[in-house]
Coordinates of all heavy atoms in Angstrom, one line a residue:
T24 N 46.8 84.6 115.4 CA 47.4 83.7 116.4 C 46.6 83.8 117.7 O 46.0 84.8 118.0 CB 48.9 84.0 116.6 OG1 49.0 85.3 117.2 CG2 49.7 84.0 115.3
S25 N 46.8 82.7 118.5 CA 46.2 82.7 119.8 C 46.7 83.8 120.7 O 46.1 84.3 121.6 CB 46.4 81.4 120.5 OG 47.8 81.1 120.6
S26 N 48.0 84.3 120.4 CA 48.5 85.4 121.2 C 47.7 86.7 121.1 O 47.6 87.4 122.1 CB 50.0 85.7 120.8 OG 50.1 86.1 119.5
I27 N 47.2 86.9 119.9 CA 46.3 88.1 119.7 C 45.1 88.0 120.6 O 44.6 89.0 121.2 CB 46.0 88.3 118.3 CG1 47.2 88.7 117.5 CG2 44.9 89.4 118.1 CD1 47.0 89.0 116.0
V28 N 44.5 86.8 120.6 CA 43.3 86.6 121.4 C 43.6 86.8 122.9 O 42.8 87.5 123.6 CB 42.7 85.2 121.2 CG1 41.5 85.0 122.1 CG2 42.3 85.0 119.7
L29 N 44.7 86.3 123.3 CA 45.1 86.5 124.7 C 45.4 87.9 125.1 O 45.0 88.4 126.1 CB 46.3 85.6 125.0 CG 46.1 84.1 125.0 CD1 47.4 83.3 125.2 CD2 45.1 83.7 126.1
V30 N 46.1 88.6 124.2 CA 46.4 90.0 124.4 C 45.1 90.8 124.5 O 44.9 91.7 125.3 CB 47.3 90.6 123.3 CG1 47.3 92.1 123.3 CG2 48.7 90.1 123.5
F31 N 44.1 90.5 123.6 CA 42.8 91.1 123.6 C 42.1 91.0 124.9 O 41.6 91.9 125.5 CB 42.0 90.5 122.4 CG 40.8 91.3 122.1 CD1 40.8 92.1 120.9 CD2 39.6 91.2 122.8 CE1 39.7 92.8 120.6 CE2 38.5 91.9 122.4 CZ 38.5 92.7 121.3
L32 N 42.2 89.8 125.5 CA 41.5 89.5 126.7 C 42.2 90.2 127.9 O 41.6 90.7 128.8 CB 41.5 88.0 127.0 CG 40.5 87.2 126.2 CD1 40.8 85.7 126.3 CD2 39.1 87.4 126.6
C33 N 43.5 90.2 127.9 CA 44.3 90.7 129.0 C 44.0 92.2 129.3 O 44.1 92.7 130.4 CB 45.8 90.6 128.8 SG 46.3 88.8 129.0
V34 N 43.6 93.0 128.2 CA 43.3 94.4 128.4 C 41.9 94.7 128.3 O 41.5 95.8 128.2 CB 44.2 95.2 127.4 CG1 45.6 95.1 127.7 CG2 43.9 94.8 125.9
A35 N 41.0 93.7 128.4 CA 39.6 93.9 128.4 C 39.0 94.3 129.7 O 38.2 93.6 130.3 CB 38.9 92.6 127.8
V36 N 39.6 95.4 130.2 CA 39.1 95.9 131.5 C 38.8 97.3 131.4 O 39.2 98.0 130.6 CB 40.3 95.7 132.6 CG1 40.5 94.2 132.8 CG2 41.5 96.4 132.2
R37 N 37.9 97.8 132.3 CA 37.5 99.2 132.3 C 38.5 100.0 133.1 O 38.4 100.2 134.3 CB 36.1 99.3 132.9 CG 35.4 100.6 132.7 CD 34.0 100.6 133.2 NE 33.1 99.8 132.4 CZ 32.6 100.2 131.2 NH1 32.8 101.4 130.8 NH2 31.8 99.4 130.6
V38 N 39.4 100.6 132.4 CA 40.4 101.5 133.0 C 40.1 102.9 132.5 O 40.1 103.2 131.3 CB 41.8 101.1 132.6 CG1 42.9 102.0 133.2 CG2 42.1 99.7 132.9
T39 N 39.9 103.8 133.5 CA 39.6 105.2 133.1 C 40.8 106.1 133.1 O 41.8 105.7 133.7 CB 38.5 105.8 134.0 OG1 39.0 105.7 135.4 CG2 37.2 105.1 133.9
Y40 N 40.7 107.2 132.4 CA 41.9 108.0 132.1 C 42.4 108.8 133.2 O 43.6 108.9 133.4 CB 41.5 108.9 130.9 CG 42.6 109.8 130.4 CD1 43.7 109.2 129.7 CD2 42.7 111.1 130.6 CE1 44.7 110.0 129.2 CE2 43.7 111.9 130.2 CZ 44.7 111.4 129.4 OH 45.7 112.1 129.0
G41 N 41.5 109.5 133.9 CA 42.0 110.3 135.0 C 41.0 111.4 135.4 O 39.8 111.2 135.3
T42 N 41.5 112.5 135.8 CA 40.7 113.6 136.2 C 40.1 114.4 135.1 O 40.5 114.3 134.0 CB 41.5 114.6 137.1 OG1 42.5 115.2 136.3 CG2 42.1 113.8 138.3
Q43 N 39.1 115.2 135.4 CA 38.4 116.0 134.4 C 39.4 117.0 133.8 O 39.3 117.3 132.6 CB 37.2 116.7 135.1 CG 36.5 117.6 134.1 CD 35.2 118.2 134.8 OE1 34.8 117.8 135.8 NE2 34.6 119.2 134.1
E44 N 40.4 117.5 134.6 CA 41.3 118.5 134.1 C 42.2 118.0 133.0 O 42.6 118.8 132.2 CB 42.1 119.0 135.3 CG 41.3 119.9 136.3 CD 40.4 119.0 137.1 OE1 40.6 117.8 137.3 OE2 39.4 119.6 137.7
N45 N 42.6 116.7 133.0 CA 43.6 116.3 132.1 C 43.0 115.4 130.9 O 43.8 114.9 130.1 CB 44.7 115.5 132.8 CG 44.3 114.2 133.4 OD1 43.1 113.8 133.2 ND2 45.2 113.6 134.1
R46 N 41.7 115.2 130.9 CA 41.1 114.4 129.8 C 41.1 115.3 128.5 O 40.9 116.5 128.6 CB 39.7 114.0 130.2 CG 38.7 115.0 130.3 CD 37.4 114.5 130.9 NE 36.4 115.5 131.0 CZ 35.3 115.4 131.7 NH1 35.0 114.3 132.3 NH2 34.4 116.4 131.7
P47 N 41.3 114.7 127.4 CA 41.4 115.4 126.1 C 40.0 115.8 125.6 O 39.0 115.1 125.8 CB 42.1 114.4 125.2 CG 41.6 113.1 125.7 CD 41.6 113.2 127.2
V48 N 39.9 116.9 124.9 CA 38.7 117.3 124.2 C 38.7 116.4 123.0 O 39.7 116.1 122.3 CB 38.8 118.8 123.8 CG1 37.6 119.1 122.9 CG2 38.8 119.6 125.0
L49 N 37.5 115.9 122.6 CA 37.3 114.9 121.5 C 36.6 115.5 120.4 O 35.5 116.1 120.6 CB 36.6 113.7 122.0 CG 37.2 112.9 123.2 CD1 36.3 111.7 123.6 CD2 38.6 112.4 122.9
F50 N 37.1 115.3 119.2 CA 36.4 115.7 118.0 C 36.3 114.4 117.1 O 37.3 113.8 116.8 CB 37.1 116.8 117.2 CG 37.2 118.1 117.9 CD1 38.3 118.5 118.6 CD2 36.0 118.9 118.0 CE1 38.4 119.7 119.2 CE2 36.1 120.1 118.7 CZ 37.2 120.5 119.3
I51 N 35.0 114.0 116.8 CA 34.7 112.7 116.2 C 34.3 112.9 114.8 O 33.4 113.7 114.5 CB 33.7 112.0 117.0 CG1 34.0 112.1 118.5 CG2 33.5 110.5 116.6 CD1 35.3 111.4 119.0
F52 N 34.8 112.0 113.9 CA 34.4 112.0 112.5 C 34.2 110.6 112.0 O 34.8 109.6 112.6 CB 35.5 112.6 111.6 CG 36.0 114.0 112.1 CD1 36.8 114.2 113.1 CD2 35.5 115.1 111.4 CE1 37.2 115.5 113.5 CE2 35.9 116.4 111.8 CZ 36.7 116.6 112.9
G53 N 33.3 110.4 111.0 CA 33.1 109.1 110.5 C 31.7 108.7 110.1 O 30.9 109.6 109.6
D54 N 31.4 107.5 110.2 CA 30.1 106.9 109.7 C 29.2 106.5 110.9 O 29.3 107.0 112.0 CB 30.4 105.8 108.7 CG 31.3 104.7 109.2 OD1 31.3 104.5 110.5 OD2 32.0 104.1 108.4
S55 N 28.4 105.5 110.6 CA 27.4 105.0 111.7 C 28.1 104.3 112.8 O 27.5 104.2 113.9 CB 26.4 104.0 111.0 OG 27.1 102.9 110.5
T56 N 29.4 103.9 112.7 CA 30.1 103.4 113.8 C 30.4 104.4 114.9 O 30.8 104.1 116.0 CB 31.4 102.7 113.3 OG1 32.2 103.7 112.7 CG2 31.2 101.6 112.4
A57 N 30.3 105.7 114.5 CA 30.6 106.8 115.4 C 29.4 107.8 115.6 O 29.5 108.7 116.4 CB 31.8 107.5 114.9
D58 N 28.4 107.7 114.7 CA 27.3 108.7 114.8 C 26.5 108.6 116.1 O 26.2 107.5 116.5 CB 26.3 108.4 113.6 CG 25.3 109.4 113.4 OD1 25.1 110.3 114.2 OD2 24.6 109.3 112.3
V59 N 26.3 109.7 116.7 CA 25.5 109.7 118.0 C 24.2 110.6 117.8 O 23.6 111.0 118.8 CB 26.3 110.3 119.2 CG1 27.5 109.3 119.5 CG2 26.9 111.7 118.9
G60 N 23.8 110.9 116.6 CA 22.6 111.6 116.3 C 22.6 112.6 115.2 O 21.7 113.3 115.0

Side-chain angles (χ1 to χ4, degrees):
T24 65
S25 58
S26 62
I27 292 181
V28 177
L29 290 173
V30 164
F31 195 101
L32 285 168
C33 287
V34 292
V36 294
R37 189 175 292 276
V38 181
T39 53
Y40 183 72
T42 65
Q43 180 175 346
E44 289 73 22
N45 66 6
R46 65 189 182 191
V48 173
L49 305 177
F50 294 103
I51 313 298
F52 305 81
D54 52 30
S55 58
T56 58
D58 190 349
V59 295

